[in-house]
Amino acid sequence: MTQLRVLFFGKLADLAGAERPIDSHGLTDVASAIAVLTDAMPAIAPLLHPEICRYVLDQQIVPAGAPLAGASELAFLPPVSGG
Amino acid sequence: MTQLRVLFFGKLADLAGAERPIDSHGLTDVASAIAVLTDAMPAIAPLLHPEICRYVLDQQIVPAGAPLAGASELAFLPPVSGG
Amino acid sequence: MSVAVRIATGPFDPEAELAAFRARLGDAGALASFTGLMRDDGGQAQQLELQHYPGFTEAEIARFAQKTVERFGLIGVLIIHRVGMMGPRDAIVLVAAAATHRRAAFDGCDCLMDYLKSAAPLWKREHRADGAVWIEPTKQDQADRARWLAD
Amino acid sequence: MSVAVRIATGPFDPEAELAAFRARLGDAGALASFTGLMRDDGGQAQQLELQHYPGFTEAEIARFAQKTVERFGLIGVLIIHRVGMMGPRDAIVLVAAAATHRRAAFDGCDCLMDYLKSAAPLWKREHRADGAVWIEPTKQDQADRARWLAD
């Protein structure tokens, strides 16, 4: 089993927890990981929409079509606010 | 004899000295004090022109026509620069 | 030209940091700084929580800071952002920008703050007596940030 | 709402002054500051001389600062301006503006600096190896100041 560490922040972490490992076996790209996650947690689906969420794979911002390849960490960033 | 303390700053002070008392007896307004000063120091005349010099009488900015009345201090402020 | 970015997990002293930054500067004539402080909002706000993505947040902020240095011709930039839980009057953020002349220092500092407020990977939540609320950038924050994207 | 204006006849410590100012503030969320430093200009500039008109200069600056507080809705303003002879890396001026939100703090600080540069009763002379020169505001200084007079 190949594990992918999935990280959530802000509002998303309230719903999904800050961290959640998933089995990435058979997953091809970020979109397929999103499908697995929203199956398990339908409530977060609207927050993972590419218009309001950024995907970060092994610390690089990527589009939904990015291949997971051997990546070990996938983070979902909801709308930000600092300062 | 009534004395008026005249103060110069910046470039003006280089030419006229920082401070110079004049006898204000018979002087009516700021313009008449300017006439006395430029008689004594023709070199400063262009620097006392109202377009580039501000007149301050007893710590109040005044026009050339302001009466000296019982004022004790007249300052000439050339173009400024700070910070 | 130096860029320093730090995420502070506990309280920090903005003026001590600023003094150390100034001491390291070369021949700068202008040093603009901004300190963001937690307001208590008439006793309404009890705690503020800031989240970051360790590693990624620092790298993203440093990348933007480097672009800002080049854009405005800055001599140095210092950014310290607090994360975790904090209370009223705590310093949340310090941004300092040094340049030869003041226009670049002011604009650099201003631009960096707009980025931190509405584009850097940080998440802010206010804890009030009636619950916790995630904060989103205001219309003013968006408009402020748009000033730098226009050109 | 507080306005503090001081003419410093000797060196001052900008960050210590800033810390004391911050400690006196009420529920401010934003503190913008600017420190002007003497540049040595590659060894060209040896000393800088600033003249003021005692009493009048302080009063004029305080009057403008009060107007700036009202215009931008500031919580507090601190202005310290050095006069006399100073050397490279000395702090010439410190301006700090505190407000509820950052836009007002930045604008207040920026506006005050433009005033000090080209309108406050101060006279600045650079002493170089080849003689002393009175400085006049640059075109950029005039343009900067004009931004605030337009509205």
Side-chain angles (χ1 to χ4, degrees):
Chain A
M1 159 168 162
T2 320
Q3 274 216 342
L4 181 66
R5 207 162 81 103
V6 177
L7 303 178
F8 299 100
F9 296 91
K11 203 184 289 184
L12 261 174
D14 286 353
L15 296 170
E19 192 176 332
R20 182 185 183 102
I22 60 171
D23 179 3
S24 65
H25 182 73
L27 298 181
T28 54
D29 56 9
V30 171
S32 66
I34 292 175
V36 167
L37 290 163
T38 53
D39 268 0
M41 301 175 286
I44 67 170
L47 295 173
L48 298 187
H49 194 279
E51 272 186 16
I52 59 161
C53 190
R54 280 190 295 172
Y55 315 131
V56 179
L57 194 63
D58 282 352
Q59 308 249 336
Q60 298 293 319
I61 297 174
V62 295
L68 293 181
S72 58
E73 190 176 277
L74 174 60
F76 293 96
L77 314 190
V80 300
S81 137
Chain B
M1 160 168 163
T2 319
Q3 275 215 343
L4 181 65
R5 206 162 81 102
V6 177
L7 304 178
F8 300 100
F9 295 91
K11 202 184 289 186
L12 261 173
D14 286 353
L15 296 170
E19 191 175 333
R20 181 185 185 104
I22 61 171
D23 180 3
S24 65
H25 182 76
L27 299 182
T28 54
D29 56 10
V30 171
S32 66
I34 291 175
V36 167
L37 290 163
T38 54
D39 269 0
M41 301 175 287
I44 67 170
L47 295 174
L48 298 187
H49 193 278
E51 272 185 17
I52 59 161
C53 189
R54 280 190 295 172
Y55 314 131
V56 179
L57 195 62
D58 283 351
Q59 309 251 334
Q60 298 293 320
I61 296 173
V62 295
L68 295 180
S72 59
E73 190 174 278
L74 174 61
F76 293 97
L77 314 190
V80 300
S81 139
Chain C
M1 189 175 83
S2 79
V3 168
V5 173
R6 203 170 87 227
I7 294 293
T9 53
F12 67 94
D13 177 339
E15 292 83 15
E17 300 287 349
L18 211 48
F21 176 66
R22 182 163 65 89
R24 290 195 308 269
L25 290 173
D27 197 27
L31 172 53
S33 84
F34 180 86
T35 305
L37 302 163
M38 184 182 159
R39 287 185 298 126
D40 73 5
D41 224 352
Q44 292 286 303
Q46 301 178 325
Q47 283 193 297
L48 191 68
E49 181 186 356
L50 258 298
Q51 283 184 5
H52 77 306
Y53 179 4
F56 181 75
T57 298
E58 294 89 326
E60 283 288 298
I61 295 175
R63 203 181 48 78
F64 186 85
Q66 187 57 48
K67 274 170 54 183
T68 307
V69 161
E70 285 153 26
R71 174 171 182 176
F72 297 102
L74 302 177
I75 291 171
V77 159
L78 170 67
I79 297 173
I80 300 175
H81 205 298
R82 174 96 178 264
V83 295
M85 298 296 273
M86 57 208 83
R89 308 198 68 164
D90 279 6
I92 306 167
V93 61
L94 170 69
V95 170
T100 305
H101 299 291
R102 78 187 180 291
R103 194 70 260 129
F106 267 122
D107 286 349
C109 189
D110 198 357
C111 178
L112 286 166
M113 268 312 301
D114 287 342
Y115 165 77
L116 291 170
K117 273 279 173 178
S118 57
L122 292 161
W123 297 272
K124 184 163 66 177
R125 173 153 64 171
E126 242 178 52
H127 295 262
R128 294 171 167 257
D130 55 354
V133 191
W134 290 102
I135 307 296
E136 301 212 351
T138 61
K139 279 200 164 52
Q140 177 71 53
D141 289 329
Q142 308 285 11
D144 285 349
R145 171 120 173 95
R147 293 178 303 158
W148 312 108
L149 303 175
D151 45 281
Chain D
M1 188 175 85
S2 79
V3 169
V5 173
R6 203 170 85 227
I7 295 293
T9 54
F12 69 94
D13 177 339
E15 292 83 14
E17 300 286 350
L18 210 48
F21 176 66
R22 183 164 64 90
R24 290 195 308 270
L25 290 173
D27 197 26
L31 173 53
S33 84
F34 180 86
T35 305
L37 302 162
M38 183 181 160
R39 287 184 298 127
D40 74 5
D41 223 352
Q44 291 287 304
Q46 302 179 324
Q47 283 193 297
L48 191 69
E49 180 185 356
L50 258 298
Q51 283 184 5
H52 77 305
Y53 179 4
F56 181 75
T57 297
E58 294 90 325
E60 283 288 299
I61 295 175
R63 201 180 51 78
F64 187 85
Q66 187 57 48
K67 274 170 55 182
T68 307
V69 161
E70 284 153 26
R71 174 171 182 176
F72 297 102
L74 303 177
I75 291 171
V77 159
L78 171 67
I79 297 174
I80 299 176
H81 206 298
R82 174 97 178 264
V83 295
M85 297 298 273
M86 57 207 84
R89 309 200 66 165
D90 278 5
I92 306 167
V93 62
L94 170 68
V95 169
T100 304
H101 299 291
R102 78 186 179 292
R103 195 70 260 128
F106 268 122
D107 286 350
C109 189
D110 198 357
C111 178
L112 285 166
M113 269 311 301
D114 287 343
Y115 165 77
L116 291 170
K117 274 279 174 180
S118 57
L122 292 160
W123 298 272
K124 183 163 66 177
R125 174 153 63 170
E126 241 177 54
H127 295 262
R128 293 172 168 257
D130 54 355
V133 190
W134 289 101
I135 308 296
E136 302 213 350
T138 62
K139 277 199 165 54
Q140 178 71 54
D141 288 330
Q142 307 285 11
D144 285 348
R145 171 121 172 94
R147 295 179 302 160
W148 311 108
L149 304 174
D151 43 284

